[in-house]
Amino acid sequence: MFGRTIYQKIYRKIKQHDTIIIARHIGADPDALGSSLGLRDSIRKTFPHKHVYTVGCPTSKFRYMGGLDHVTEEMMEGALLIVTDTPDQKRVDGADATKFKDTIKIDHHPFIETFCKLEWIDDTASSASQMIIELINHTKLVMDQEIAGKLYMGLVSDTDRFLFQYTTPKTFRLVAKLIDDTGLDITSLYPNLYTRPLKEIKFQGFIANHLTVTEYGLAYIKITDEMVKEYGVDVATGGNLINYFNFIHEIIAWTILTEDKNNGVIRVSIRSRGPVINEAASKFGGGGHIYASGAKLANFEVGDQLIEALDEVCKQYQEETK
Ligand code: AMP
């Protein structure tokens, strides 16, 4: 294997296997879906005889990203597993990496653990979709307009329209090439990504009106099941709205905690434009990126402890940057 690039190593494993299962993280978002579905479609188009499937729970919100596959245990036998956008085994949706003989991880999260035989981790990449674009560019894997659309949606969503850190010159170079090579009409993708029901906008207004902002610049809100029901939204909506609270003078980090009664957990999304938040999230069984993290908590009492920990992080940040 000496001398081969990571792209060649991954491509070689893809070539060697007739059945390939592609998994991504639980609670799929456009990057998880874009990277896994884009890679699936590219492998299918490059090697039409291969059986390539994506696994994991479907999400109706992101239906427009493309259909998932129905995969049985038998279909997974002898397959190569490729996991995208997922740093740790426990967050893989629909596949147990220990049951596969050969496994690959392609991820842009900070390292948590090794659970695949071949791991390509680039925590400076804007998105897992960006890494798949890179992989395709460096191998004989096929790129076309449809695949480009999925990968672009993943990338543009994970960078929040090129706003986030890790939107680098490389990101722009890869996107420019993607558009040049495939003639992708990026504006045609935005209605699917950004059109929202009015009730969600009203819910966003409710959150804005009920945020608590601490003296250290932490904003938080605890959304109960009743509030979710009152606005006719779902338990994921609060978390999906988190990025809309960026660039507010008085707020440097913010978190939305939503009661998920069906699953008996509190879903937490956290964002920051300064303080490092993933360490605090990890202490509560969550994790993520330095400025974008999440967690699942047992109840709002634990939520209060997390809020306290995040406020402390904001306090320290304010003191350090005075
Ligand atoms: P979200 O707020 O759900 O968009 O998540 C932001 C980031 O935090 C993503 O990179 C997720 O992978 C990570 N994350 C979200 N929830 C969890 C969790 N329960 N455990 C670990 N990481 C999480």
Side-chain angles (χ1 to χ4, degrees):
M1 293 290 267
F2 183 76
R4 284 203 184 92
T5 64
I6 188 68
Y7 316 114
Q8 289 165 332
K9 287 179 189 169
I10 294 172
Y11 183 73
R12 208 173 132 91
K13 278 190 186 282
I14 290 170
K15 254 177 102 176
Q16 282 167 352
H17 289 82
D18 283 335
T19 305
I20 299 167
I21 304 294
I22 306 179
R24 36 72 188 170
H25 64 75
I26 49 175
D29 55 20
D31 187 36
L33 292 167
S35 57
S36 53
L37 292 168
L39 179 61
R40 177 197 68 182
D41 294 354
S42 177
I43 299 173
R44 279 182 179 169
K45 283 176 181 165
T46 315
F47 302 104
H49 68 278
K50 288 191 194 290
H51 306 287
V52 194
Y53 310 109
T54 50
V55 289
C57 284
T59 53
S60 57
K61 182 173 160 55
F62 305 122
R63 211 181 297 120
Y64 58 82
M65 296 291 298
L68 301 172
D69 307 302
H70 180 68
V71 185
T72 61
E73 293 269 323
E74 295 80 64
M75 286 157 85
M76 295 197 202
E77 248 162 58
L80 165 69
L81 175 72
I82 306 179
V83 180
T84 69
D85 199 29
T86 315
D88 50 349
Q89 168 112 281
K90 75 175 195 307
R91 286 185 48 84
V92 179
D93 191 358
D96 178 353
T98 60
K99 296 206 170 130
F100 289 79
K101 270 211 227 111
D102 217 348
T103 48
I104 300 176
K105 182 211 279 184
I106 301 175
D107 186 38
H108 75 124
H109 291 86
F111 175 80
I112 293 185
E113 65 178 10
T114 301
F115 66 92
C116 289
K117 285 208 169 128
L118 179 61
E119 301 213 334
W120 177 29
I121 299 165
D122 180 1
D123 64 5
T124 68
S126 70
S127 51
S129 297
Q130 172 174 315
M131 296 175 74
I132 303 298
I133 298 171
E134 216 182 314
L135 173 70
I136 294 175
N137 287 352
H138 284 88
T139 61
K140 290 184 184 144
L141 284 172
V142 167
M143 177 67 83
D144 66 14
Q145 206 175 85
E146 208 181 309
I147 297 164
K150 291 189 169 102
L151 294 168
Y152 180 80
M153 284 194 279
L155 186 156
V156 82
S157 166
D158 239 39
T159 58
D160 196 15
R161 296 173 245 189
F162 305 105
L163 283 176
F164 289 160
Q165 202 208 18
Y166 302 132
T167 303
T168 60
K170 186 177 183 177
T171 310
F172 286 112
R173 275 197 296 273
L174 287 168
V175 168
K177 180 171 160 49
L178 192 73
I179 298 169
D180 263 346
D181 290 354
T182 65
L184 181 67
D185 173 9
I186 53 170
T187 53
S188 72
L189 304 172
Y190 296 140
N192 265 332
L193 277 172
Y194 299 119
T195 310
R196 300 188 285 150
L198 186 58
K199 63 185 177 190
E200 195 176 302
I201 308 295
K202 291 186 176 173
F203 193 56
Q204 188 176 324
F206 168 80
I207 295 174
N209 276 316
H210 293 84
L211 273 180
T212 302
V213 184
T214 70
E215 65 169 302
Y216 303 115
L218 175 75
Y220 65 89
I221 182 166
K222 293 184 266 185
I223 298 170
T224 62
D225 184 57
E226 291 78 51
M227 294 170 188
V228 168
K229 291 206 171 100
E230 190 189 330
Y231 280 82
V233 293
D234 65 63
V235 283
T237 307
N240 292 335
L241 292 172
I242 189 95
N243 291 335
Y244 292 96
F245 296 92
N246 201 352
F247 303 118
I248 299 171
H249 273 305
E250 294 81 354
I251 299 170
I252 55 169
W254 60 105
T255 178
I256 295 178
L257 300 89
T258 310
E259 181 181 20
D260 178 352
K261 249 190 169 167
N262 280 345
N263 295 302
V265 293
I266 307 295
R267 295 175 176 226
V268 185
S269 276
I270 317 163
R271 296 292 184 272
S272 164
R273 56 188 184 87
V276 170
I277 49 172
N278 58 349
E279 286 159 15
S282 300
K283 281 184 197 145
F284 290 83
H289 306 274
I290 55 173
Y291 299 141
S293 298
K296 283 202 169 84
L297 307 177
N299 51 50
F300 277 132
E301 284 71 45
V302 185
D304 286 333
Q305 293 167 24
L306 174 60
I307 289 166
E308 230 173 86
L310 288 170
D311 201 31
E312 184 57 34
V313 170
C314 288
K315 182 181 171 197
Q316 276 172 21
Y317 178 81
Q318 299 275 19
E319 281 165 4
E320 280 159 21
T321 54
K322 230 185 243 169

